[in-house]
Amino acid sequence: MAQSNVAEIASIVSESSRAAMLTVLMDGRFHTASELAFMAGIKPQTASFHLSKMQEAGLIVQEKQGRHRYYGIQNEEIAKVMESFLFIAPPVKIKSLKQSSQDKAMRYARTCYDHLAGSLGVQLADALLKTGVLREDHENFRVTEKGELFFKELGIPLETVSKKRRSFSYRCLDWSERRHHLAGALGQAVLERLIELGWIQRVPQNRAVKVTEEGKDGLKKTFGIDHSKEGT
Amino acid sequence: MAQSNVAEIASIVSESSRAAMLTVLMDGRFHTASELAFMAGIKPQTASFHLSKMQEAGLIVQEKQGRHRYYGIQNEEIAKVMESFLFIAPPVKIKSLKQSSQDKAMRYARTCYDHLAGSLGVQLADALLKTGVLREDHENFRVTEKGELFFKELGIPLETVSKKRRSFSYRCLDWSERRHHLAGALGQAVLERLIELGWIQRVPQNRAVKVTEEGKDGLKKTFGIDHSKEGT
DNA sequence: GGAATTCTTCGATGTTCATCGAAGTATGGA
DNA sequence: TCCATACTTCGATGAACATCGAAGAATTCC
């Protein structure tokens, strides 16, 4: 009767190999087909089959580069929905000490698609609100006059950022904190800049990011974020 | 490898009969097993099988009443994720004139779990913000002092509403409007009150709601909402 | 107590779909 | 030109699972 297309999207995500690949892609970076196959523990043929299926469904995009094919999440909205899944997905059973510390690290700070999430991401958004750099404006954050100066001093040229044809600065819900953090082009720019400054570093294996010693200092001075403990 | 539980939840929703039943349940009301079976176009046995599966997964809850078993969406979070699915699900292909006007009506005003959504829901939240009844406060709306008086006059006793053990007044994202509307216990209370006042009426077949003649008048006077056209 | 209703459990059936081996296409390098 | 790499398409296999008939449990009505 009331055949909904919700089922179609869900059926894509429901397969464990595909879900695994999507989870990998949630780091916001592009990955090759064979890399994704390896991460999901399947043969390249099978991965190819799944990837084309997900591409057809509009969940991911492909970019050819020589004999490699790079795959990435289609856009922010897809990433957002994937993230929202974690809201109701039962918490992962922690089996090992290693997993436990990984989980802790992820909850503290991770990338969500192309911006910063986790406790650190939420603290950052909070700090920017509190100091009047950003203001809440319906679904989005808005940069105040004071904010324009702030980002300039931080080394983020807003003119360039706002030229990209995507939503500039919207609020993204954080599954571990259940609070919003900063997303959109501005969120991406901030993440990039923090990495560039050497304040945080991506962890190669997963979406977690690590705060460096300079980072602790810089985050304290620039944003007033004091963090006594963090994940491994 | 990195077996995610996201896949488990998705696999529940991915089956078309289950998706159909969940869609029906998204009106926020409880329905009997046989009613859901009929709506999904399957035999009672099959529906029973699906319902127990969804219950086990924590998506829905059961309530026994005599020889009937009533099923409903587990909680707001589940409803929220279901709603967020519609964000990325491709728009339904409109085949008939009837479908087209149904779609129009749904977009104009519908229930989202237990509160008001659609264009009307968003307009309402906007109006309450503009007049200073509510204020945005992170993920939630907050009732101002002025607001307390407002709701009292509207016939909604806030003391009673806030006693319920659930989030009082949070912001829910609207798939058709891509804007937030009012959810939580307060959102439910407002919907109930508007129905009680006879300003809006539920449509039996689906989640759409209809604004009555008194409703047009009342919404205009109380909230300043002027609506020139609505769906059928 | 007996009949009707509402829903569930069990078992058999058939279809859908993920998987991988084998073979085919494109790209890059020697 | 030939080979290696990266990825795809095709076809066969096997397993998971939705479906429904039949029969069983629980409840209400007479």
Side-chain angles (χ1 to χ4, degrees):
Chain A
M1 276 261 81
Q3 187 69 351
S4 89
N5 33 26
V6 169
E8 278 173 49
I9 298 290
S11 78
I12 301 285
V13 187
S14 70
E15 207 282 323
S16 64
S17 300
R18 285 196 288 263
M21 290 194 273
L22 281 171
T23 305
V24 172
L25 290 171
M26 276 298 285
D27 69 356
R29 288 178 280 196
F30 277 66
H31 297 261
T32 63
S34 39
E35 189 184 348
L36 291 167
F38 175 77
M39 299 289 268
I42 50 178
K43 298 281 170 203
Q45 314 97 288
T46 312
S48 179
F49 163 70
H50 287 312
L51 288 168
S52 68
K53 202 160 192 172
M54 289 194 279
Q55 195 184 352
E56 201 182 351
L59 295 187
I60 60 174
V61 285
Q62 193 200 65
E63 224 168 89
K64 278 184 79 169
Q65 235 168 80
R67 49 185 170 184
H68 292 276
R69 312 240 175 141
Y70 287 89
Y71 289 92
I73 299 277
Q74 164 88 245
N75 58 34
E76 312 180 273
E77 302 211 332
I78 305 294
K80 215 166 160 180
V81 174
M82 282 297 296
E83 192 79 4
S84 88
F85 254 118
L86 297 164
F87 249 83
I88 57 169
V92 190
K93 285 172 254 158
I94 307 290
K95 283 173 194 160
S96 65
L97 188 63
K98 189 184 167 195
Q99 260 192 358
S100 159
S101 67
Q102 272 187 359
D103 180 68
K104 214 170 148 191
M106 288 271 276
R107 279 170 189 275
Y108 180 68
R110 67 180 178 278
T111 51
C112 168
Y113 186 46
D114 61 1
H115 54 267
L116 200 60
S119 167
L120 185 59
V122 171
Q123 281 180 59
L124 195 102
D126 268 359
L128 294 177
L129 278 173
K130 201 174 168 187
T131 55
V133 168
L134 296 179
R135 199 163 294 158
E136 292 179 337
D137 182 19
H138 293 109
E139 324 320 317
N140 303 315
F141 289 122
R142 198 158 39 80
V143 178
T144 61
E145 276 186 43
K146 186 180 171 188
E148 287 178 21
L149 187 65
F150 175 86
F151 285 117
K152 197 171 176 182
E153 281 177 1
L154 189 59
I156 298 175
L158 291 184
E159 316 84 62
T160 322
V161 175
S162 61
K163 261 180 200 149
K164 298 186 183 173
R165 219 185 298 138
R166 52 181 289 200
S167 64
F168 174 63
S169 161
Y170 77 84
R171 312 166 70 196
C172 181
L173 200 48
D174 200 296
W175 64 267
S176 57
E177 295 290 312
R178 313 217 154 196
R179 295 274 313 280
H180 282 116
H181 54 247
L182 176 62
L186 185 57
Q188 184 202 1
V190 170
L191 174 63
E192 258 178 23
R193 183 62 183 147
L194 293 183
I195 292 175
E196 203 176 272
L197 285 168
W199 290 5
I200 59 178
Q201 284 172 347
R202 280 173 182 277
V203 173
Q205 297 82 29
N206 55 36
R207 296 165 56 196
V209 298
K210 201 173 138 54
V211 178
T212 64
E213 282 305 318
E214 304 101 285
K216 285 180 194 173
D217 208 51
L219 290 172
K220 178 77 186 292
K221 281 185 186 145
T222 312
F223 302 102
I225 296 175
D226 208 349
H227 77 146
S228 34
K229 0 173 180 172
E230 56 160 316
T232 313
Chain B
M1 279 260 82
Q3 188 68 350
S4 87
N5 33 25
V6 169
E8 277 174 50
I9 299 291
S11 78
I12 302 285
V13 186
S14 70
E15 208 280 324
S16 64
S17 300
R18 284 194 289 262
M21 289 194 275
L22 282 171
T23 305
V24 172
L25 290 172
M26 276 298 285
D27 69 356
R29 288 177 281 196
F30 278 67
H31 298 261
T32 64
S34 41
E35 188 184 349
L36 291 168
F38 176 76
M39 299 291 266
I42 50 178
K43 297 282 169 204
Q45 313 97 289
T46 312
S48 178
F49 164 70
H50 287 311
L51 288 168
S52 68
K53 202 161 193 171
M54 289 194 279
Q55 195 184 351
E56 202 181 352
L59 295 187
I60 59 173
V61 284
Q62 193 199 65
E63 223 168 88
K64 279 185 78 169
Q65 233 169 81
R67 49 187 170 185
H68 292 276
R69 310 239 176 143
Y70 286 88
Y71 289 92
I73 299 278
Q74 164 88 246
N75 57 34
E76 314 180 270
E77 303 212 331
I78 304 294
K80 216 166 161 180
V81 173
M82 281 297 295
E83 193 79 4
S84 90
F85 254 119
L86 297 164
F87 248 83
I88 56 170
V92 189
K93 283 172 256 158
I94 305 290
K95 283 173 193 160
S96 64
L97 187 63
K98 188 184 166 198
Q99 261 192 356
S100 158
S101 67
Q102 272 187 359
D103 181 69
K104 212 170 146 192
M106 288 270 277
R107 280 170 189 276
Y108 179 68
R110 66 177 178 280
T111 52
C112 168
Y113 185 47
D114 62 1
H115 53 267
L116 201 59
S119 167
L120 185 59
V122 171
Q123 279 180 61
L124 195 102
D126 267 359
L128 294 177
L129 278 173
K130 201 173 166 188
T131 54
V133 168
L134 296 180
R135 198 164 294 158
E136 293 179 337
D137 181 19
H138 295 108
E139 324 321 316
N140 303 314
F141 289 120
R142 198 158 39 79
V143 179
T144 62
E145 275 186 41
K146 186 179 170 188
E148 288 179 20
L149 188 65
F150 175 86
F151 285 117
K152 196 171 178 180
E153 280 177 0
L154 188 59
I156 298 175
L158 290 186
E159 316 82 61
T160 321
V161 176
S162 60
K163 261 181 202 149
K164 297 186 183 175
R165 220 187 297 138
R166 54 181 288 200
S167 63
F168 175 63
S169 161
Y170 77 84
R171 312 167 68 196
C172 181
L173 199 48
D174 199 295
W175 66 266
S176 58
E177 294 290 312
R178 313 218 152 198
R179 294 275 314 281
H180 282 116
H181 54 247
L182 175 63
L186 184 58
Q188 184 203 0
V190 169
L191 173 62
E192 257 179 23
R193 183 63 182 146
L194 292 183
I195 291 174
E196 203 175 274
L197 285 168
W199 290 6
I200 59 178
Q201 284 171 348
R202 282 174 181 276
V203 174
Q205 297 82 29
N206 55 34
R207 296 165 57 196
V209 299
K210 202 172 138 58
V211 178
T212 63
E213 283 304 317
E214 303 102 286
K216 285 180 196 177
D217 208 49
L219 290 171
K220 177 78 186 292
K221 280 185 186 146
T222 312
F223 303 102
I225 296 175
D226 208 350
H227 78 144
S228 34
K229 354 170 187 175
E230 55 159 318
T232 313

